[in-house]
Amino acid sequence: MRVFRFILLSMLLCVGASLSAQKGVTTFVNPILGGDYPDPTILRDGNDYYMTHSAFDYVPGLVVMHSRDLVHWEPVSYALNTYLGSIWAPDIKKYRGRYYIYFTVHGTKRTNCVVTADSPYGPWSEPVDLEIGDIDPCFVDGGNGKCYLVMSGGNRWTLADDGLSVVKDSKVHFYDGWNYPSDWITEGFCLEGPKLYHIGDYFYYISAEGGTAGPATSHMVVVARSKSIDGPWVNMPTNPLIHTYSATEKWWSKGHGSLIDTPDGKWYCVYHSYEKDYANLGRQTLLEPVHFTPDGWLKADGGDASKPLPTPLKEITTTDRHARLGEFRIGLDWRFYKLFIPERIHIEGQALTLEGRGNSLGSSAPLLCIAGSHRYEIEAEITVYGNAKAGLCLFYDDRSNVGIGFDRTNRYRYRRNASSGTGKSDDTHLWLRLRNVDHVVTASWSHDGKTWNHESWGQEVSGFNHNTLGQFQSLLPGIFCEGQGFAKFQHFKYTEL
């Protein structure tokens, strides 16, 4: 069935490309990054594009993605390898030949930091604490010999020449946002996610309003402009640029946009959105064409983000990030929940040894990857050593998770961070499989990887999302090892069903 589906999909894609080729256009289908890729910030450097996203409670974090066509993306580095707290809404920029990522840290204190590198491929510096409040920083050159860090709420700070500190007492409030109609149903006003661009005669202030989750119609991308960084700022008469107008649409809470251009002068808006009925996948990254009108405002081209859209550039390459998961590329394809201890890990070929930690799935700091699919299964061959319990999981946080595991004597079901025995294992070596089909999770086990035995339990996990649990996270598949000992994971596979 899967082979037939792949052949059918390939035929449809070829037909679509063939029909479009009559007009000299090929197409792509959103999302450009499926799964948990929220708060996108993007940079063009010649013919290369770089993008990063909020890391929240995952480390390594601030993964830098690279593309040559705006559609296919490959992780090339990560900027954080220490858990500082929840990492929000970064901004990636190139300034005076160096690369900067500014970001918010929501931890024991709320602050904002910056890391730098000579190349987007790293290595990245240790974070520098700017010791300022607000959230969602954005770097902008003011065109007046000064650079600024624009924050949520329409505030800004003046930066030092090197971009690594702010000028004391330089905070000013300079923009109040756009007042959307009072009968629109949103999560709240929430003027945040600013992005400023100096394009032609104007500075364009691109901001998010309406709240990033909540009702389907919450989020939006709003535009204002000014001929000076100091204002006055005029809101776009046709605001918003991007918005979800109805819960019947496929993509909900579209917002937190960044503008990006192509070398041949086309413009796009990169933003995030929840998929209708699949909020537990997190906020996914979408791309939509926009253009400047004769009077210098922005307008979306009118395409439906849920349907094929013209490709921005000739497709340079294709990637399959799931095919590489068996290589266990830590920091690129895999990340830990809150605690990254390199000494826990040993990788040899396509085998990963993970030292046990904690006494539950939630406290084990599991190793996680991004799914982005409605229906998939993960599978691995696992050997446990000592008094370790190990297995596969779908993990939202240390309270809301599901999984299958085993130790020397028993197999276990994990449900909302509690485990219960499901039968004798009598083996330190098993193959485990965890399947998620439209939010219904089931599990299987095998002694040889060929003959599979189904566990008798199942769990529905659609509620494992930010609207019910908070923390802006998503349900991620992964592996774990708890207890005193370690486990060896081999032949990890992710299969889209």
Side-chain angles (χ1 to χ4, degrees):
M1 178 60 73
R2 184 168 178 265
V3 173
F4 172 78
R5 183 174 180 271
F6 176 78
I7 294 172
L8 178 61
L9 179 59
S10 300
M11 292 171 62
L12 289 173
L13 289 174
C14 289
V15 170
S18 176
L19 291 174
S20 298
Q22 296 175 14
K23 301 177 182 179
V25 176
T26 55
T27 60
F28 74 97
V29 178
N30 277 307
I32 56 172
L33 283 172
D36 195 22
Y37 290 97
D39 302 328
T41 171
I42 190 167
L43 165 71
R44 180 167 76 87
D45 190 12
N47 293 320
D48 294 283
Y49 295 90
Y50 300 96
M51 182 161 54
T52 190
H53 304 78
S54 289
F56 295 108
D57 284 322
Y58 308 120
V59 281
L62 294 177
V63 179
V64 177
M65 314 289 289
H66 170 257
S67 176
R68 297 294 302 277
D69 62 9
L70 284 172
V71 174
H72 303 96
W73 294 87
E74 172 82 14
V76 295
S77 69
Y78 57 87
L80 286 180
N81 57 18
T82 302
Y83 182 71
L84 305 176
S86 188
I87 303 301
W88 297 357
D91 185 54
I92 186 169
K93 287 292 194 299
K94 185 179 183 182
Y95 176 59
R96 295 181 178 177
R98 282 185 65 78
Y99 298 85
Y100 293 70
I101 301 177
Y102 294 89
F103 57 95
T104 297
V105 178
H106 181 70
T108 53
K109 68 173 183 175
R110 174 81 61 80
T111 190
N112 289 271
C113 297
V114 60
V115 291
T116 62
D118 291 326
S119 164
Y121 290 78
W124 292 87
S125 71
E126 290 298 312
V128 176
D129 190 346
L130 301 174
E131 299 182 349
I132 57 173
D134 294 326
I135 62 173
D136 303 1
C138 169
F139 173 96
V140 63
D141 187 334
N144 56 2
K146 299 179 181 179
C147 292
Y148 302 92
L149 202 61
V150 179
M151 311 297 296
S152 60
N155 301 318
R156 78 170 191 228
W157 292 81
T158 303
L159 282 166
D161 288 344
D162 62 1
L164 298 179
S165 62
V166 298
V167 177
K168 185 178 180 181
D169 299 326
S170 64
K171 181 178 179 179
V172 297
H173 176 78
F174 72 113
Y175 178 61
D176 293 325
W178 173 67
N179 291 319
Y180 51 80
S182 60
D183 61 345
W184 283 17
I185 300 174
T186 70
E187 195 177 25
F189 186 66
C190 302
L191 176 60
E192 55 194 17
K195 295 288 182 284
L196 261 72
Y197 306 92
H198 195 181
I199 304 170
D201 294 333
Y202 291 98
F203 287 88
Y204 289 87
Y205 193 122
I206 313 297
S207 60
E209 290 183 6
T212 191
T217 55
S218 287
H219 223 17
M220 64 192 83
V221 178
V222 171
V223 180
R225 74 182 185 190
S226 170
K227 290 192 173 182
S228 166
I229 192 71
D230 295 313
W233 292 90
V234 178
N235 287 311
M236 187 167 71
T238 56
N239 267 331
L241 178 66
I242 304 288
H243 183 45
T244 303
Y245 289 92
S246 167
T248 62
E249 297 180 36
K250 177 179 180 179
W251 294 105
W252 287 15
S253 290
K254 296 187 289 190
H256 203 107
S258 294
L259 293 182
I260 194 67
D261 65 338
T262 61
D264 59 355
K266 295 193 290 285
W267 285 91
Y268 291 83
C269 185
V270 176
Y271 60 91
H272 68 205
S273 179
Y274 286 103
E275 186 176 359
K276 175 180 168 61
D277 300 325
Y278 290 90
N280 61 6
L281 289 179
R283 289 165 294 175
Q284 309 183 52
T285 298
L286 280 65
L287 178 73
E288 192 169 332
V290 298
H291 64 272
F292 284 92
T293 59
D295 57 357
W297 287 111
L298 279 162
K299 186 176 181 180
D301 283 9
D304 184 339
S306 67
K307 296 180 180 178
L309 294 169
T311 51
L313 298 161
K314 180 181 178 181
E315 296 186 13
I316 308 298
T317 183
T318 58
T319 59
D320 182 359
R321 54 193 168 91
H322 293 135
R324 297 186 305 263
L325 290 174
E327 300 173 16
F328 293 110
R329 301 193 308 171
I330 308 300
L332 300 181
D333 304 316
W334 291 89
R335 72 284 316 273
F336 286 88
Y337 179 71
K338 290 190 175 181
L339 191 63
F340 176 39
I341 305 174
E343 293 77 18
R344 290 184 67 200
I345 312 161
H346 176 73
I347 300 173
E348 186 174 347
Q350 293 199 349
L352 177 143
T353 301
L354 181 62
E355 182 182 292
R357 184 183 181 278
N359 57 5
S360 67
L361 172 52
S363 62
S364 70
L367 183 58
L368 308 168
C369 59
I370 295 176
S373 309
H374 298 171
R375 306 167 192 88
Y376 61 90
E377 67 182 21
I378 56 173
E379 175 185 318
E381 178 186 0
I382 307 172
T383 306
V384 293
Y385 299 87
N387 294 318
K389 292 166 65 176
L392 307 177
C393 64
L394 296 182
F395 192 90
Y396 185 86
D397 62 18
D398 50 10
R399 295 172 298 169
S400 301
N401 44 62
V402 58
I404 178 175
F406 73 104
D407 59 16
R408 288 176 172 273
T409 56
N410 293 295
R411 301 188 317 277
Y412 298 92
R413 170 191 183 176
Y414 289 80
R415 181 176 184 270
R416 293 189 180 274
N417 207 41
S419 62
S420 57
T422 59
K424 297 292 184 181
S425 65
D426 297 325
D427 200 342
T428 59
H429 176 245
L430 289 177
W431 278 259
L432 299 183
R433 179 182 288 169
L434 203 58
R435 175 175 288 191
N436 182 5
V437 177
D438 297 322
H439 311 305
V440 175
V441 180
T442 55
S444 305
W445 58 278
S446 171
H447 284 291
D448 57 10
K450 298 176 182 179
T451 302
W452 289 89
N453 306 280
H454 295 287
E455 295 285 5
S456 61
W457 57 266
Q459 185 171 338
E460 205 278 344
V461 293
S462 61
F464 287 15
N465 63 67
H466 172 73
N467 275 350
T468 56
L469 300 175
Q471 302 184 66
F472 300 112
Q473 310 212 133
S474 67
L475 192 62
L476 301 183
I479 63 177
F480 70 94
C481 180
E482 59 162 301
Q484 301 297 313
F486 59 94
K488 185 175 184 179
F489 297 83
Q490 302 178 87
H491 305 122
F492 182 92
K493 291 195 304 182
Y494 176 103
T495 305
E496 188 168 346
L497 304 175

